[in-house]
Amino acid sequence: MSDVPIIDARGMRCPWPALRAARAMRDVSAVMVLADDPIAPTELAALAEQQGWEIARIADDRAPAFRLERPTRS
């Protein structure tokens, strides 16, 4: 997972975590977002659904963390 860029959105209020993730996803196929805003999970899930990306909540000691990823094409 170390090759995935980390978007540190701790302390940012929505919609900033989702906007930062969307911008990062222009250049990469996956990102990890650290976001402690209580609305962030909903906003990130809506962004992922709208873009056709996969989202997963992942364990991280720093803050609630989410991995956004483009689905692999077969």
Side-chain angles (χ1 to χ4, degrees), residues 23-57:
R23 184 174 184 179
M25 288 290 284
R26 293 179 190 167
D27 301 322
V28 297
S29 61
V31 296
M32 183 170 97
V33 181
L34 302 175
D36 53 5
D37 185 330
I39 306 296
T42 304
E43 292 282 324
L44 291 168
L47 174 65
E49 182 178 348
Q50 178 184 19
Q51 298 296 325
W53 302 335
E54 297 171 357
I55 184 170
R57 187 161 188 161

Side-chain angles (χ1 to χ4, degrees), residues 4-10 12 16-25 28 30-36 44 62-66 68:
V4 175
I6 298 173
I7 308 302
D8 188 351
R10 292 176 289 182
M12 294 181 187
W16 290 108
L19 292 172
R20 287 255 175 119
R23 184 174 184 179
M25 288 290 284
V28 297
V31 296
M32 183 170 97
V33 181
L34 302 175
D36 53 5
L44 291 168
R62 297 170 283 190
F66 308 87
L68 296 170

